[in-house]
Structure formats: C-alpha cells, structure tokens
Amino acid sequence: MQKRKHYANPITTNDMLINDIKTFVSFIPTAQRFNPDEELSDMDTLKPFLEESETKIINEIIGSDLFDAIIASTNTTIQDALKRIVAINAYYLCIPFVDLISTPNGFAVVSSTNNIAPASKERVERLLDWVKLRLSESTDALIILLLSGTDNMFREEWKKSVHFERYTNCLFITAGDLRRFGRSNASRNTLDELYPLLISYQGDMSNTVSFEYMKELIENRRSDKLTKYDEDVFYKLQVVLGLYSKEKVNQGKELLGTIVNQMIADKDNYTTFMTSQAYKIKTSENYVNQKTDQTFMFNP
C-alpha cells in the first residue's frame, strides 16, 4: 500500500485499507447486496465513500504516520479496529445515495427488484442514528487500543500527529468517559461539542490540584503509567469534571478540596503536588482559605 501522506495522486482500489466487498460486509452486514447500479461492481460504488472515509480519519483523528504504521503492521486487532471505523463511516456517508442515480433530467430513485420493499424514511433515519452510534463506539475502541500498554509503537506514531494532543489532553478521552461521569446519552459528537468547555473546567481544577500534577496525570494516562495512587485521584477528578459539566460547580469544588486533603495526608505518594506552586501558595503564611479563591481547600 502506498504512503497516504499526500492525496494529489489518484488512489487505486488495491491501495485502500478496505479493498474488497467481502471485507466491507464483514463490518457492515446490512450492506450485503445494496448496489443499485447493475453496471458497477459493489466496490465501484463504495470506492468514493471509502476514500472519503479514509481521508477524514487521517486528516481529523490519527494522522498519516499512524495510518501507515497500522497498515504495515501484523497486528490484526488494531487493523480491524481501524477498518471498522473506515467501513462504518463510509457506510454512513453512502446511505443517502445508495438508491439515487444521476440522469440527464436530474436525480432518479432506483426501483426495487426481487420483491424487496423500500425502507421508510423513519427506518432510514433510525439506521443513520445507529450507524453514528457505532462510529462513536468504534472510535472510542481505537483510542483505547492506541493508549494501552507502556510499550505501544502505535501511540508513538500517533504522537507525530497534531491530533494526538487534542484527543488525549482531556480527563475524558472517550464518549464512554462522558457517559459515566456526566451525560448518560453522550456520543463522540457530544464530547466534541463540549471539548472547549471541558478543557476550560479542567484548567480551573488545575488551580487547586496544581497545573504540574494535572499535566503529570495526563502524561501518565497517555503512556499507561498511572500509579494506583494516581488512578484514585484521576478517577475523582473525572467525577469533578462530570459535576462541572452538569453545572454543579460547588459540589465539584468541595470534592477538589477533599482530593487535596487526601494528597497532603499521603504526601509521599504525591510528590509532584507537594512541590507545586499551588501547594506552596496554600501553605504560605499569608494564605487565607476562602471559597472565592481558586486555590480554596474544602475542609470537611
């Protein structure tokens, strides 16, 4: 497969991640026998949507270095995870067009054959919603794979992309995180929409637990090196972020104070926080513990 760093040259079917209909149907069983044009093969019909899907995933999520590394590897688990996203996204893109053809007089709908009844608008809309949900879940699954294990070559390739920071610098990296701690029906679209607000909240939280320790937690989560003490704090910070996202800021700040008190009581396991500027301010002689202060510590 050719490198996918540039898109000026035409891509042949053999160059594509999914290059036959059997592979596509293995991820999208409902796509079997969908081709409305007898003069084209199934792959001819799918090819533009698969190309668009690959390009979107490269340009918006993983970058070309990681894409190339996955294709060149023998790791079928991560290859299948990427193929699944490409297939689902391509299917989502093509659903509105599978029964349309362009004629000299405008667009026409291909009539059904073999006693196959056309689906209602409502069923098509439900299908689109289901495909969007699968795309969200599949993207989450790939991200989890990319960040799993301390010696993960795919994570190192992803770091070369400008997208790595965007997808890994929040306490919530998956839609599953957001569902567990904030929004019960969240998808990746929800997470993307809330991302600027979540990062803002996270910055506010860093004033209390320290920017140094928050950065360390994010880096250690990225490299799968969180200690059991870090994991406990990380989980509680996710709870705080969930409270903030539901506009329960006061409850979130109270939990932040509890987290800080916990770290102070177990200072040997939280050395980054104990040497941080935030801790120095809190323990200075002139510091006054006020609820209006960003560095307020709640004392239960």
Side-chain angles (χ1 to χ4, degrees), residues 153-170:
M153 62 163 286
F154 300 110
R155 178 175 54 239
E156 298 307 308
E157 293 298 323
W158 195 16
K159 285 182 179 180
K160 298 175 183 178
S161 166
V162 295
H163 308 301
F164 179 78
E165 178 74 14
R166 159 67 176 78
Y167 278 92
T168 63
N169 70 343
C170 183

Side-chain angles (χ1 to χ4, degrees), residues 11 24 27 31 45 48 54 61 80 102 114 131-133 146 159 163 168 174 184 187 189 192 216 234 250 273 287:
I11 303 299
F24 182 80
F27 295 107
T45 304
E54 283 190 15
I61 303 177
D80 284 349
S102 178
N114 300 323
V131 174
K132 285 170 66 177
L133 178 60
L146 293 174
K159 285 182 179 180
H163 308 301
T168 63
T174 66
S184 60
S187 67
N189 284 344
D192 289 341
E216 181 178 275
F234 196 94
N250 288 337
F273 171 73
Y287 177 70

Side-chain angles (χ1 to χ4, degrees), residues 1-5 7 11 15-18 50-51 53-59 61-73 78-79 82-83 85-86 142 146 153-154 157-161:
M1 179 176 287
Q2 72 182 47
K3 290 283 184 179
R4 302 302 300 274
K5 298 181 185 299
Y7 306 99
I11 303 299
D15 291 323
M16 298 167 63
L17 178 65
I18 296 176
L50 286 167
E51 286 182 354
S53 181
E54 283 190 15
T55 301
K56 177 181 175 66
I57 291 162
I58 292 170
N59 290 348
I61 303 177
I62 65 175
S64 58
D65 291 294
L66 175 56
F67 185 90
D68 293 339
I70 292 175
I71 298 309
S73 79
I78 202 161
Q79 283 185 351
L82 180 56
K83 287 178 181 178
I85 296 174
V86 170
L142 177 63
L146 293 174
M153 62 163 286
F154 300 110
E157 293 298 323
W158 195 16
K159 285 182 179 180
K160 298 175 183 178
S161 166

Side-chain angles (χ1 to χ4, degrees), residues 40-262:
L40 297 174
S41 71
D42 288 336
M43 277 307 297
D44 288 333
T45 304
L46 281 172
K47 185 173 180 285
F49 301 105
L50 286 167
E51 286 182 354
E52 184 178 348
S53 181
E54 283 190 15
T55 301
K56 177 181 175 66
I57 291 162
I58 292 170
N59 290 348
E60 297 184 11
I61 303 177
I62 65 175
S64 58
D65 291 294
L66 175 56
F67 185 90
D68 293 339
I70 292 175
I71 298 309
S73 79
T74 57
N75 188 322
T76 56
T77 299
I78 202 161
Q79 283 185 351
D80 284 349
L82 180 56
K83 287 178 181 178
R84 183 169 290 106
I85 296 174
V86 170
I88 294 170
N89 190 56
Y91 191 46
Y92 181 78
L93 293 171
C94 77
I95 286 173
F97 307 104
V98 292
D99 63 346
L100 294 177
I101 58 173
S102 178
T103 73
N105 298 319
F107 287 100
V109 178
V110 179
S111 61
S112 60
T113 57
N114 300 323
N115 297 318
I116 299 175
S120 67
K121 177 182 177 182
E122 291 74 18
R123 294 198 67 177
V124 173
E125 288 177 347
R126 287 201 299 271
L127 175 61
L128 285 168
D129 288 340
W130 174 79
V131 174
K132 285 170 66 177
L133 178 60
R134 283 202 64 202
L135 181 59
S136 175
E137 295 298 298
S138 298
T139 304
D140 275 5
L142 177 63
I143 289 172
I144 291 170
L145 280 174
L146 293 174
L147 297 179
S148 298
T150 56
D151 185 21
N152 189 330
M153 62 163 286
F154 300 110
R155 178 175 54 239
E156 298 307 308
E157 293 298 323
W158 195 16
K159 285 182 179 180
K160 298 175 183 178
S161 166
V162 295
H163 308 301
F164 179 78
E165 178 74 14
R166 159 67 176 78
Y167 278 92
T168 63
N169 70 343
C170 183
L171 291 167
F172 296 160
I173 59 170
T174 66
D177 289 335
L178 185 55
R179 287 195 297 273
R180 280 189 292 274
F181 297 103
R183 307 292 180 90
S184 60
N185 296 319
S187 67
R188 287 215 64 88
N189 284 344
T190 317
L191 184 59
D192 289 341
E193 290 172 5
L194 289 177
Y195 176 80
L197 189 61
L198 293 172
I199 291 299
S200 176
Y201 287 150
Q202 195 167 299
D204 181 78
M205 294 159 57
S206 297
N207 282 303
T208 302
V209 299
S210 83
F211 288 92
E212 297 93 331
Y213 187 47
M214 182 70 81
K215 181 179 179 181
E216 181 178 275
L217 285 173
I218 295 298
E219 287 298 328
N220 285 344
R221 193 271 306 276
R222 284 170 169 165
S223 56
D224 206 9
K225 292 180 179 179
L226 290 170
T227 69
K228 65 178 182 179
Y229 305 101
D230 290 337
E231 286 177 349
D232 180 57
V233 171
F234 196 94
Y235 169 80
K236 290 174 181 175
L237 289 176
Q238 287 181 310
V239 174
V240 173
L241 188 57
L243 289 169
Y244 273 48
S245 72
K246 293 187 287 187
E247 299 184 352
K248 297 182 179 180
V249 177
N250 288 337
Q251 294 94 321
K253 286 185 177 295
E254 289 184 358
L255 181 52
L256 278 176
T258 301
I259 293 169
V260 167
N261 291 336
Q262 168 191 328

